[in-house]
Amino acid sequence: MTGAQPALPVFFEQVFACSPEVAAVIAGRAAERRYEPRALILRQGDRTGETFILVFGTAHALLYGRDGQMALLREFAAGDIFGSIAEARPAPEEADIVAAEAAGAAAFLALDFLGLIEAHSCVGLAVSRMLLKQLRAATGKFAERATLSAQGRVYAELLRLARQGDGQTLSPAPVLSALAVRVQTTRETASRAVGALERRGILRRDDGGWIIAAPHRLEDLVV
C-alpha cells in the first residue's frame, strides 16, 4: 500500500498543539487504519461508535439521492475529523465516507475520544476549530449552490484549485467527472465550461496540467 503514515504521537502533537506527553496519551487510545483508494470507510446510514482523524491522504463524503445521483458533500484532508464526535448515542452517518486515494486514519472509540476532550483542553479547542472549519466550508458550498450557475461553480472551483498552488497551474489536470461531482453538476456541463475557457484563451493545456492564463478574466465569469 502506498503512502507513509507519520508516527501518531508526532502527528497528534501537531494537530492538537499539545505536549509530547499528552500526544502520547492520545496515541495510546488510537487504532491505526489504512485504506486503499476508493475503499469504504463509513457507510451512509450506519451508526458508528468511532471517531476518525485522517492522518494522511484524502477522503470524500459522498451522498446518493434516490435517483442514484452522487453529490460530494464534504472533503477531508489530513487533520480533519469525522464519524461520531462527542456523541453518547451516535446518529446515522449522513453520507458514505470513501478514501479518495491511499489514506490512513486514527480511529478512537467515541466515548474514549469524548474523555480526551474532557481531560485535555487542547483537544477540545482543536476539535472546535476542526468543526468550525467544516462548517465554513459547508456554508461556502451552500452559498455557491444558491447564488452561482453551474458554469460559475465550475469556474469558482478551478480558481480554488489553482490558488492551492501558484494561482494559475492545475497539475495534474482535474478529471472532468470528478470536477462535476465537486460542484454538483453534470460531466457534460463541466466539459462545456472548460471548453469555453479554452476557446477564449483563458485556459490552456500543458504537459498533463492546465494553465489559467488570465485568472482575472476567469474571476469575472464566476456568476
Side-chain angles (χ1 to χ4, degrees):
M1 187 177 297
T2 60
Q5 187 165 352
L8 286 186
V10 175
F11 173 78
F12 290 138
E13 189 176 345
Q14 296 171 345
V15 167
F16 295 118
C18 61
S19 68
E21 292 76 18
V22 172
V25 170
I26 298 169
R29 301 288 184 89
E32 297 185 56
R33 305 273 177 81
R34 287 177 178 251
Y35 303 95
E36 297 283 1
R38 297 180 295 280
L40 182 66
I41 301 174
L42 291 174
R43 187 182 304 278
Q44 182 178 353
D46 283 355
R47 295 176 183 269
T48 179
E50 292 184 305
T51 303
F52 293 80
I53 298 178
L54 203 63
V55 178
F56 70 90
T58 56
H60 291 165
L62 301 175
L63 187 63
Y64 298 89
R66 292 183 179 178
D67 58 357
Q69 184 175 0
M70 182 176 65
L72 177 62
L73 189 63
R74 194 171 297 123
E75 295 179 89
F76 299 105
D80 286 339
I81 191 169
F82 56 89
S84 178
I85 305 168
E87 295 174 300
R89 294 184 177 180
E93 285 298 316
E94 59 186 353
D96 282 354
I97 310 296
V98 178
E101 58 187 350
F108 302 82
L109 292 176
L111 291 179
D112 280 354
F113 194 76
L114 179 57
L116 291 170
I117 291 175
E118 293 173 341
H120 305 286
S121 59
C122 59
V123 178
L125 181 58
V127 169
S128 297
R129 288 172 173 165
M130 292 173 187
L131 296 178
L132 180 58
K133 174 187 172 184
Q134 291 182 15
L135 177 60
R136 286 173 173 166
T139 302
K141 289 288 186 182
F142 177 80
E144 287 184 359
R145 179 70 173 172
T147 60
L148 297 180
S149 65
Q151 182 172 280
R153 295 197 302 274
V154 172
Y155 296 157
E157 184 65 16
L158 292 178
L159 284 169
R160 189 188 71 81
L161 292 173
R163 286 166 180 163
Q164 292 178 352
D166 62 7
Q168 290 186 274
T169 305
L170 289 81
S171 181
V175 177
L176 285 173
S177 57
L179 179 63
V181 169
R182 292 169 75 102
V183 300
Q184 298 184 34
T185 190
T186 64
R187 185 190 184 285
E188 292 72 20
T189 297
S191 180
R192 286 195 298 270
V194 170
L197 295 181
E198 290 187 276
R199 289 192 296 273
R200 298 172 73 168
I202 297 174
L203 180 146
R204 70 174 186 270
R205 300 175 190 265
D206 181 65
D207 293 333
W210 293 352
I211 305 295
I212 299 176
H216 62 286
R217 290 177 61 194
L218 182 55
E219 289 173 2
D220 292 340
L221 298 176
V222 180
V223 295

